[in-house]
Amino acid sequence: MVAFSLAAGLLLGCGAEKSPTTGSTGSPASVSPSATSTATPTADRTAELRETALTAAEAAGETPTGVGISDVVHDGASATFFWETSRRRLCLAEVGTSGGYNHRRCADPSGVAPKAGAHLAPVFGPGTASEGWMVVLLAEPGSRMTSARFGGKDVEWTFVRNLAPEMKGRGVYYVALAELPVGELEMTVEVDGRRKVERLTFS
């Protein structure tokens, strides 16, 4: 079990980024059955928001690798994007659909590792998102998350992509939380055909 304070969870500073190329690698995005969606931006509008994120990122030296940028979440208020940089950092950007904000977090994943016996570790969060809160998890190679619950209820989650081999090929998962997370996030992880529950405690 891993404890994280919310003060620490509001996480890592910004970087910046560029060059378009879209799409994700690995399995297609998937969400829990409880996931709900609101009005989403059109494809053209999403492309505009992606370009906005990339332009700001480029200015800060957080250019994506040739793998490109992955679309994570689209809702009525914002679009969220994820990418790996040429400096071997990970970036998560959220751009408001009304043009009101362009927020980005970037982090070095080399020091992100699960506790002994676990397979998932947070790289971003818990932190604010347009529809509430979120946490981004890295899954060790050979493992995958199959469900997530918080406060006894299923929560929305998305498989984003697998990182490049030089980033250890870890899986990236985005978990959406409806409110300030105080309590236990339970995640079911499948390893070698067996399932186990791992927990992160937020206080």
Side-chain angles (χ1 to χ4, degrees):
M1 189 177 293
V2 186
F4 296 90
S5 70
L6 286 177
L10 282 174
L11 238 333
L12 296 124
C14 294
E17 225 262 316
K18 132 191 185 302
S19 92
T21 57
T22 55
S24 61
T25 60
S27 306
S30 57
V31 296
S32 71
S34 63
T36 57
S37 60
T38 57
T40 57
T42 64
D44 286 347
R45 182 60 177 142
T46 299
E48 291 175 18
L49 297 175
R50 187 185 305 117
E51 192 62 40
T52 296
L54 292 175
T55 298
E58 180 180 31
E62 298 291 359
T63 304
T65 65
V67 176
I69 182 169
S70 292
D71 298 351
V72 180
V73 176
H74 302 162
D75 57 43
S78 71
T80 301
F81 308 101
F82 173 89
W83 66 91
E84 302 163 51
T85 80
S86 55
R87 294 192 293 168
R88 295 194 176 185
R89 284 159 55 85
L90 305 180
C91 290
L92 186 77
E94 188 177 48
V95 184
T97 55
S98 62
Y101 62 95
N102 180 359
H103 183 64
R104 184 179 63 262
R105 302 169 176 88
C106 293
D108 179 355
S110 61
V112 176
K115 295 296 184 179
H119 297 82
L120 294 171
V123 63
F124 295 117
T128 54
S130 66
E131 297 295 324
W133 292 72
M134 64 78 200
V135 61
V136 178
L137 305 165
L138 297 183
E140 292 300 294
S143 65
R144 68 184 186 96
M145 192 172 80
T146 61
S147 68
R149 292 171 64 82
F150 190 82
K153 298 179 180 179
D154 290 341
V155 293
E156 180 179 345
W157 60 276
T158 301
F159 170 77
V160 179
R161 73 196 210 186
N162 290 320
L163 298 180
E166 55 269 28
M167 294 273 204
K168 300 183 180 179
R170 291 184 285 184
V172 181
Y173 293 86
Y174 180 100
V175 180
L177 303 171
E179 56 189 30
L180 186 80
V182 176
E184 215 168 54
L185 175 63
E186 296 184 354
M187 303 150 296
T188 302
V189 184
E190 185 176 288
V191 185
D192 296 328
R194 297 181 180 181
R195 294 190 175 187
K196 58 175 288 190
V197 174
E198 295 186 10
R199 295 176 175 86
L200 294 176
T201 300
F202 305 122
S203 59

